[in-house]
Structures are given as structure tokens and as C-alpha cells.
Amino acid sequence: MSEVALKGLMKRFGATSAIEDVSLTIGDGEFVVLLGPTGAGKTTLLRLAAGLDHPDAGRVLIDGHDVTQEPPAARDVTFVFQQYSLYPHLSVYDNLAFPLRSPLRRTPEAEIRRIVHDVADLLRIADKLQNRATHLSGGQMQRVAIGRALVRRPAIALMDEPLSSLDAKLRADLRIELKRIQQELGATLLYVTHDQTEAMTLATRVGVLREGRLVQLGTPREIYESPADAYVAGRLGHPPINLLSRRLFPDLAAPGATATIGVRTEHLEIARASDGPRAGPVGTVSWIEHLGDQNHIHVAIENEKTVSLVDPDTPLAVGDLVSIGLRAPLFFDGKGARVQA
Amino acid sequence: MSANAHSVVEPSAGAKLAASVLVILYACVALIPLLWIGLTSIKSPPDSIAYPPKVVPFVHFTPTAEGFCNLFTTRSRQTPDYIAGLPPSTGGCDEVARSRNMVVVGASNYVPRFVNSLIIAFGSTALSIVLGTAAAYAFSRFRVPLKDDLMFFILSTRMMPPIAVAIPVFLMYRELGLSDTRLGMILLYTSVNVSLAVWLLKGFIDEIPREYEEAAMIDGYTRLQAFWKVVLPQATTGIVATAIFCLIFAWNEYAFAVLLTSGAAQTAPPFIPIIIGEGGQDWPAVAAGTALFLLPILVFTVLLRKHLLRGITFGAVRK
Ligand SMILES: Nc1ncnc2c1ncn2[C@@H]1O[C@H](COP(=O)(O)OP(=O)(O)O)[C@@H](O)[C@H]1O
Ligand SMILES: [Mg+2]
């Protein structure tokens, strides 16, 4: 386990720029999650780090050594692919043993057996070792794939949306599992995903990728509470942050450049307008959505829509006039960049 | 669409019945020549050309091993007096020959010709598969300059009947000393089969995600090792299916074999008809030679039928 640094990485595919000047240092034992939608360059960045693709510019350093020109095998990294994570023609045991049997490592079989059994215990798949890899459920397969990436204690484990093919319940279970395993092993991880929950719960630091650029890097809390721009603010939080025009809040003290006001659902204060005069605009309740675990209230203010959370037994009903109060608003300029209050 | 996109609509009972009847009818038509070969091989020469034909063994004719004896031996005609003066026969084919006023003088060339067929067909198949797999892997995985043009060129070598180049090949082989050599025939059949092998195998290898090799290379294997450990095991179905196609072509090939082989490297297909010439029209011997000739492909195909079926439907049935 060691420190990994990506410096000024660039990668183009023809006219598309997949990675644009990304620099990032992942400390020993750190769990860095990069968050971005499909096409943001997540897979490309991991492939550059692994040495499967060569950057057009920039360097990859592992423990201070420049490995940019080294082949994947020489980098001491592991990779969990988004798909095709296990060798279908091998048993679970042989899949886990595969990296240990490589000509670079040549681990004695007795040692392999010990390591594989340890990992199987850690992953809770000890009873599945003799199964063919294809005879596992999706969740077990990903569990083995994650195990395989960690067995040989790499300098860094690279994981490309390893949970994205699983259903919601399994994804939640494995997420917790992965965090436990990472902490138990003290593993260094660079993990990419489009799932904000994974980013928030797994990461020691989150990076937000947008069209090949790393737009912000920080602890999950920093990213959530203090997003660098409206894009980052919109990536985190569910339902997403409300972005409202400055002109709806003429009385609000805001920096001069402010064009848009961002307010998270939990920071919207909604009260019946008839309950007394209050600062802020008045809107109309357009819809109340009961999702079971959450209840969303949709309020229209002039032509703009906001969503907030309400109690399941809220007295509010569709058509009611409500006043809108803001707590901890965020200010963005016309280009979406954050303006500090 | 149904919930399961791979599912094919289940055929109705009527459609199944109709399909079964069709398949059985076709099988009957296709199998009659094989049945006739089998029957002829156990007839005596007069029974084999009797008219109306004798069909049912033990009823219309008495089965005999004469065809097989004649296939494996060479005989010379002698006077009854001479035969009577010989020591007692050793039984078997000796006995059969004497009943026709002949004596066995030695083994025929059938076995060496059959061995030639085995060596040449399996040799060229193995070579086609090795070359085809290597080329297909390269075309599938690497950036090859003019890849599409090269693939088309390879395909184009199959666009004319191979026999169209018989005379140039004949002259070339004479110059190179490859005429009537096993090596020459192996190279010739390989050159015909390798194009098919490249195309088929490229299709199979394209279907194997390259992430598997990349994972192996990250895990500390070289590309060649990754190829052996990861690609090859997953390509076996395709390789087996391709091998069967190559083998069938090389095993059955007749025209080049007639043209280019006459002795040391002669294969069974040109040899079998020659049997007719030796002392009358010996159809049972021809039939016996043909029946035995069919066996290796039959065995090979039956042993590998699972792979073959999966291999043939591979590209057609997408996941
Ligand atoms: N091998 C490639 N050839 C051409 N374009 C590619 C290739 N790989 C990725 N891209 C492009 O680069 C961009 C980033 O892709 P990718 O890294 O796969 O994104 P993500 O993993 O975040 O979905 C996309 O626009 C994609 O089309
Ligand atoms: Mg991706």
C-alpha cells in the first residue's frame, strides 16, 4: 500500500477529449471515489492509472516512482472491471489464486491456499470456492472480483463501478461490505461511480468528474456543503438541489454577481402562507409525492419548480399557497460558478 | 416483447411434428447412400451387381467379408490345380480368395493410403488452426494497418474454386519437389483452409471481451501468457468447430489429391476408385474402403458434437 499520484493526465480519442488535465493524489490507505455520469471519463482515467492506455500527456507516480511508461504488470495495481470481472472458465478458487500464480509472483501453492482461504473468509464466500465462476449470483461474483483485487495487496486497487450491475438491495449490502473490507485491510482505493450514495458513503475524499475534468475534490461533507459550482451541487443530494432565480428573492442579502440561488431540499422552509406574513416569495403546492421512506412536496413559484421534504402527515394539500424560506443558501453566478457570500 | 429478450417463441405441437417429419424424411434421403455403401461392402461381387438389387441381408443375400478381404489384400489368379497343390489355407481371406481361384500375394495399399489421409488431414487441420488462431487474434486485438483490406484479401482467396489454380500449383510443386509428398499436401490443404479458419476464429475471438486479457496482464502475466491462460480456454468451442470444418475439407479432398499424389503421399480418396480396376469391378471392396473412410470423421464429429453445435450457433444467437 502506498501513495499514488496522477499528474496532469490528458487523453483524447480522435476529436473527443476523454480526460482533460486531471491531477490527483491518493494517499496511503485512502478511499478516493470519483463521481461522474456516463461518458465523464471515469473508465478512461482508471485505464490510464493501470497502464492499459497511455496518456497523451501527464504522468502516473506510484510511491514516487514514475510508472507512466511501465506496463500494467509492473505497476502493482489491480483493477475491477465494470463488466466481465471473473474468468468464466475457472473456479472461484482459481480466480482468486490467478494473480498469485502469475510469473511475477510465483507464490507457493500452500501460501496461495492460505491467502485464498483468508480472503474467502473475509468475503464470506468460503463455501463457494469450488464453484465455477459462472455459477455464482451477480452479488457473489462482484464480491469475488473485489476480493481478487485485494488478495495480493496492491499499491492501489482501481475499481470501475463494481456495484453498478447489481440491484439496489445488493448494492447497499455490498457497499457496506466493501467499506468494511477496505478498512480491515487498510487498502488504498481509487473507485469510480455514477452513484452519489456510493461516493458519499465510501469515500474519504470525493472527486467530481465532468467531461474529463476534475471539477472538485474534497471530503464528502465539503463537496456536499460547499460545492464549487452549480454542477457539483446538482450531482449530490436527493432530491437534487433547487436552483432558483435570484429575482424571486429580492429581499435576500446576496453577493452582487449572484444569478442563481441554490438551496437543498432540507434547507427549504415551507409554511402555509395564511399562517402569518413572512419574508420570501409565495408559491403554490403542485403535488405531494409519497415515496414511503420520503415524502416530496413540489412547489411552483411563478414558473419555477422546487422540491422539498415534508412529514407524511403534512396538513398541506395541492393548491395551498405557501411561503418559502431559505436556510444556508448557495450563490452561483451566471456561468454556474460559486459566489461566496 | 416478452420479458426475456433471449427467449425464442416456443413452437406449437403441430409445428414441432411437421419439423420432425421433415427432418426424418431428409435423414432417410441423406442416409440411403450410406446404407447402400454399408450393404454393398458385405455382399459378394456378383450380389453387388445383381438386378433386381438384393437389399435385405440373410434374405436376399448372404453377408460375406469378401469385400474387406479384397480391400486389404492383393491377389493373383491361379489354376485350380495349382491351388489344390498348395499347403492348406490359413483361413480368413486366404480361404475366400481360393474359393475364387485366387491366392493372396500381399497386403494392398489401402492401409498406407489411409494413414496418409490421416496424417495429411489432421496435420493440415492442426496447422490451419494454429495459424488461423494466431492471425485471428492479431486481427481481433491489434491495430493492423489495412486490416479490412487484409481480411478481405484472405476471404477472397476462397472466392474461386481451389481447383482453378490446379495447373500453376502442379507446376510449382514439381519445381519445388513437393509433388507426391505429405508435406506438400499438408501445405496445400492448409493454404485453402487457413482463410476459413481466420474468418471463423476472428468471429469467436471478437466475442471474448478483452477485459479478461487486460485483467491477466494487470495481474502480472504477459500478453502471450494471458492468451494461453485466458483467451484459448474460452475459444475452445470456436476452435473445435473450425477444426471440424477444416478436417472435413482436407479429408474429403479429391481433385488435388488425384493431380498431385500417385504413390508415397496418395490419400484414400484417389486410391479407392483405383480398386475397381484391379481384376474386375470389385464394388464390395470399393464400398468397404469407403465405409471405413467415413469412420474417422464420424467419430471425430460425434465426440465433439456438443462443441460443434454450440460453435455453429455461436454467432447467430446473441446474448
Ligand atoms: N476506446 C475509445 N475510443 C474512442 N472513444 C472512447 C474510447 N474510450 C472512451 N471513449 C470516449 O471517451 C469518453 C469517456 O469515456 P469513458 O471513460 O468510458 O466514460 P465513463 O467510464 O465515465 O462512462 C466518452 O466520450 C467515450 O465515448
Ligand atoms: Mg465506464
Side-chain angles (χ1 to χ4, degrees):
Chain A
M1 306 285 157
S2 37
E3 186 187 271
V4 176
L6 311 178
K7 290 198 193 292
L9 288 180
M10 298 265 215
K11 181 71 182 175
R12 314 184 125 265
F13 293 106
T16 36
S17 174
I19 290 295
E20 193 74 44
D21 193 20
V22 170
S23 295
L24 171 65
T25 302
I26 302 126
D28 191 18
E30 223 190 339
F31 195 146
V32 173
V33 177
L34 297 182
L35 179 67
T38 301
K42 304 184 295 296
T43 300
T44 306
L45 187 67
L46 289 189
R47 292 179 62 89
L48 294 176
L52 293 171
D53 285 329
H54 280 283
D56 298 328
R59 292 183 301 148
V60 178
L61 286 89
I62 295 180
D63 251 352
H65 295 291
D66 189 335
V67 296
T68 318
Q69 300 305 322
E70 303 278 340
R75 296 187 178 200
D76 193 23
V77 301
T78 58
F79 203 118
V80 178
F81 289 92
Q82 197 167 357
Q83 270 178 302
Y84 314 116
S85 44
L86 299 183
Y87 302 117
H89 61 292
L90 298 179
S91 68
V92 171
Y93 183 95
D94 289 332
N95 262 286
L96 289 170
F98 195 84
L100 302 169
R101 285 180 179 145
S102 85
L104 277 189
R105 268 163 280 274
R106 293 201 184 287
T107 320
E109 281 298 321
E111 175 80 358
I112 290 178
R113 204 170 314 125
R114 190 186 59 71
I115 297 175
V116 169
H117 280 107
D118 282 356
V119 171
D121 287 340
L122 189 69
L123 298 169
R124 308 203 173 108
I125 45 149
D127 55 330
K128 299 283 190 292
L129 282 177
Q130 299 314 318
N131 284 29
R132 272 283 284 264
T134 44
H135 295 176
L136 295 180
S137 71
Q140 288 163 343
M141 258 188 220
Q142 288 316 94
R143 212 180 273 250
V144 176
I146 288 167
R148 198 179 64 187
L150 300 174
V151 264
R152 63 177 170 87
R153 303 297 182 103
I156 187 167
L158 306 166
M159 300 195 179
D160 189 359
E161 310 198 38
L163 308 184
S164 65
S165 58
L166 306 178
D167 61 50
K169 164 95 173 67
L170 259 178
R171 197 154 54 205
D173 291 349
L174 259 186
R175 204 170 60 214
I176 294 165
E177 196 92 332
L178 176 59
K179 186 73 188 171
R180 172 182 69 83
I181 294 167
Q182 184 261 340
Q183 283 173 339
E184 234 163 274
L185 297 176
T188 310
L189 255 83
L190 178 58
Y191 182 108
V192 304
T193 181
H194 65 269
D195 181 320
Q196 51 165 302
T197 317
E198 285 172 22
M200 292 300 285
T201 56
L202 290 172
T204 45
R205 276 189 304 155
V206 175
V208 178
L209 266 185
R210 180 188 191 184
E211 290 163 13
R213 289 178 182 280
L214 187 58
V215 282
Q216 193 176 359
L217 182 66
T219 64
R221 210 176 144 165
E222 279 164 16
I223 300 268
Y224 187 81
E225 290 178 356
S226 184
D229 59 22
Y231 176 81
V232 174
R235 288 300 305 174
L236 293 173
H238 184 81
I241 193 165
N242 295 293
L243 294 172
L244 300 166
S245 305
R246 165 79 177 105
R247 62 174 179 80
L248 295 180
F249 300 89
D251 302 335
L252 193 71
T258 304
T260 312
I261 294 171
V263 58
R264 297 216 179 264
T265 50
E266 66 273 25
H267 294 156
L268 267 182
E269 285 172 347
I270 293 180
R272 205 185 285 273
S274 55
D275 286 354
R278 290 209 357 202
V282 171
T284 317
V285 177
S286 57
W287 188 19
I288 296 178
E289 218 180 348
H290 295 283
L291 299 177
D293 58 335
Q294 285 185 352
N295 300 283
H296 297 171
I297 182 165
H298 296 247
V299 176
I301 313 165
E302 296 184 17
N303 288 326
E304 301 188 26
K305 292 190 173 64
T306 62
V307 181
S308 182
L309 303 172
V310 285
D311 284 341
D313 50 359
T314 174
L316 293 172
V318 172
D320 284 356
L321 290 182
V322 289
S323 67
I324 309 288
L326 307 182
R327 271 191 291 130
L330 301 168
F331 305 112
F332 302 103
D333 68 15
K335 293 201 179 87
R338 180 86 180 277
V339 188
Q340 292 298 339
Chain B
M1 284 302 291
S2 68
N4 187 346
H6 334 178
S7 73
V8 181
V9 178
E10 186 66 18
S12 70
K16 270 187 181 166
L17 186 70
S20 308
V21 168
L22 267 177
V23 168
I24 291 169
L25 277 179
Y26 174 75
C28 288
V29 173
L31 290 174
I32 282 171
L34 294 180
L35 178 72
W36 200 248
I37 289 169
L39 285 175
T40 306
S41 72
I42 54 170
K43 287 178 183 175
S44 66
D47 283 343
S48 73
I49 50 171
Y51 191 84
K54 299 185 172 187
V55 179
V56 187
F58 299 106
V59 177
H60 295 144
F61 68 92
T62 314
T64 159
E66 192 171 346
F68 288 90
C69 284
N70 292 353
L71 176 67
F72 285 112
T73 60
T74 54
R75 302 156 306 281
S76 71
R77 187 168 294 280
Q78 300 294 344
T79 60
D81 292 348
Y82 173 83
I83 290 170
L86 290 175
S89 84
T90 52
C93 288
D94 214 8
E95 191 70 44
V96 174
R98 287 183 190 195
S99 71
R100 300 265 177 217
N101 286 335
M102 309 248 231
V103 290
V104 172
V105 295
S108 76
N109 276 332
Y110 186 68
V111 172
R113 300 304 186 252
F114 197 91
V115 169
N116 281 342
S117 267
L118 287 174
I119 292 174
I120 290 168
F122 279 91
S124 75
T125 300
L127 195 56
S128 303
I129 292 296
V130 170
L131 294 175
T133 309
Y137 181 76
F139 277 120
S140 173
R141 295 295 197 257
F142 299 124
R143 272 213 241 160
V144 180
L146 301 179
K147 181 187 284 189
D148 292 346
D149 304 274
L150 284 173
M151 284 300 285
F152 180 78
F153 167 73
I154 290 171
L155 183 67
S156 73
T157 62
R158 280 302 275 248
M159 285 183 181
M160 62 182 169
I163 201 67
V165 292
I167 291 174
V169 168
F170 178 79
L171 296 175
M172 191 166 73
Y173 268 39
R174 209 177 50 187
E175 288 302 311
L176 294 172
L178 286 172
S179 296
D180 204 19
T181 61
R182 289 171 182 163
L183 177 65
M185 296 312 286
I186 289 175
L187 292 177
L188 184 70
Y189 292 160
T190 302
S191 73
V192 175
N193 272 334
V194 82
S195 57
L196 175 78
V198 171
W199 270 85
L200 284 178
L201 288 168
K202 177 168 182 294
F204 288 111
I205 292 174
D206 281 344
E207 298 272 332
I208 302 171
R210 54 177 75 207
E211 276 89 343
Y212 291 127
E213 289 142 84
E214 291 178 339
M217 287 193 280
I218 289 172
D219 281 344
Y221 294 81
T222 63
R223 181 175 281 278
L224 194 63
Q225 289 160 338
F227 174 78
W228 275 106
K229 297 222 174 239
V230 177
V231 180
L232 221 45
Q234 294 187 62
T236 39
T237 292
I239 288 176
V240 167
T242 308
I244 291 178
F245 286 125
C246 292
L247 186 72
I248 289 174
F249 169 81
W251 187 254
N252 291 344
E253 206 285 327
Y254 178 76
F256 277 110
V258 167
L259 189 71
L260 295 175
T261 68
S262 50
Q266 192 177 45
T267 54
F271 175 77
I272 291 169
I274 294 173
I275 305 168
I276 303 176
E278 293 176 353
Q281 305 228 319
D282 197 347
W283 292 114
V286 170
T290 308
L292 292 179
F293 180 71
L294 294 174
L295 281 181
I297 295 282
L298 188 70
V299 171
F300 195 71
T301 313
V302 168
L303 284 181
L304 300 174
R305 66 188 179 285
K306 260 199 201 139
H307 283 291
L308 188 61
L309 199 63
R310 267 201 293 153
I312 290 171
T313 53
F314 195 71
V317 184
R318 299 263 161 187
K319 289 154 274 171

